[in-house]
Amino acid sequence: MKVILSNLSPFLTVGISRFSITVVASLCLLAGSTYGQAVADLTDSEINEKVVELISQNEFLQAKPYLDEMKKRLGDDPDENTLEAIDFFTASAELQRYQQSKDEEALKNAVKMFEEYVNKHSSGPRKIIAQLNLGDAYADLKQFGKAIQTYLAIFNSPQTSGSVRNDIRRVIAKTYLKTEKPEEGIPYFLDAYDQAVLDDEARAE
């Protein structure tokens, strides 16, 4: 199966991180069907088209039945880029399920999937976004120590851009406030303030 999913921008999903949460309110398609046709009966091309359409609209949960079928058709020797994209967006679907339903089991599933993604696709183009989502999920589960370690991995990565590093610095500082050692967040607060001297909105946070 030749898929085009891997051609999607790695940054399509930034909207599901804490920095800019996008909760899709539209109803999910009936699982396993599209216009009354079973997903398994669709051609490879039709599945490709549907996946790209839904993911480009950040409708990850609706895309999940198609992603599952796509992964099933990849066989025993899948293209790594395609598999990386499928794994990321499948995890994103579980996170979106949690955002819509507040079902903690969905959040735990998302954590497991993002953990697997980070371990399996250590050089993947969506790794930083996966780590952001994983850190946020840990925080929602009140596992603040794990959240901070995940944020620190992003903060210390040479692949992290300056703007993301500034954002994550503030998140680290705020997350420390929820722990038993909030004082350990002081250096990050001070650094965040220094970085925000010319940014009134950031300084107010």
Side-chain angles (χ1 to χ4, degrees):
M1 178 182 188
K2 182 175 177 57
V3 298
I4 57 176
L5 179 60
S6 58
N7 292 331
L8 289 171
S9 166
F11 303 105
L12 278 175
T13 59
V14 70
I16 63 171
S17 76
R18 173 168 294 167
F19 303 125
S20 178
I21 295 177
T22 300
V23 178
V24 178
S26 58
L27 293 175
C28 295
L29 295 174
L30 292 175
S33 65
T34 177
Y35 305 110
Q37 186 176 10
V39 173
D41 294 337
L42 297 176
T43 65
D44 292 352
S45 178
E46 288 171 330
I47 290 177
N48 278 331
E49 182 179 345
K50 196 65 182 176
V51 166
V52 172
E53 174 192 344
L54 291 170
I55 288 178
S56 68
Q57 297 169 5
N58 281 1
E59 294 178 352
F60 312 111
L61 189 53
Q62 291 191 30
K64 188 176 184 301
Y66 306 99
L67 291 166
D68 290 343
E69 180 64 22
M70 182 178 281
K71 188 170 185 177
K72 188 186 304 182
R73 296 186 188 186
L74 288 179
D76 297 329
D77 188 24
D79 173 74
E80 178 58 30
N81 291 332
T82 299
L83 184 60
E84 176 273 326
I86 291 174
D87 287 347
F88 177 85
F89 291 118
T90 300
S92 298
E94 282 303 301
L95 184 58
Q96 196 166 71
R97 188 191 306 278
Y98 165 71
Q99 291 176 332
Q100 293 182 12
S101 68
K102 301 305 177 185
D103 180 358
E104 192 169 289
E105 286 304 309
L107 182 59
K108 291 177 179 178
N109 287 339
V111 164
K112 181 179 178 181
M113 290 179 180
F114 278 122
E115 286 175 339
E116 291 176 350
Y117 173 91
V118 170
N119 291 329
K120 186 176 180 181
H121 305 288
S122 58
S123 300
R126 286 162 267 262
K127 181 182 176 181
I128 289 178
I129 299 174
Q131 288 175 305
L132 283 171
N133 291 330
L134 180 57
D136 289 351
Y138 282 140
D140 286 342
L141 290 170
K142 303 189 185 306
Q143 298 177 10
F144 301 118
K146 287 185 176 182
I148 289 170
Q149 291 304 310
T150 303
Y151 295 141
L152 285 172
I154 301 169
F155 183 79
N156 293 322
S157 172
Q159 280 75 48
T160 301
S161 68
S163 60
V164 171
R165 186 170 284 108
N166 288 339
D167 285 339
I168 210 71
R169 182 186 286 111
R170 293 195 294 273
V171 173
I172 291 169
K174 291 177 181 179
T175 306
Y176 265 116
L177 289 177
K178 302 173 183 178
T179 71
E180 295 179 353
K181 296 182 178 181
E183 68 278 4
E184 293 186 7
I186 291 176
Y188 297 97
F189 272 112
L190 295 176
D191 287 346
Y193 184 84
D194 289 342
Q195 290 293 324
V197 167
L198 300 179
D199 187 339
D200 292 337
E201 181 180 348
R203 185 165 63 249
E205 292 184 7

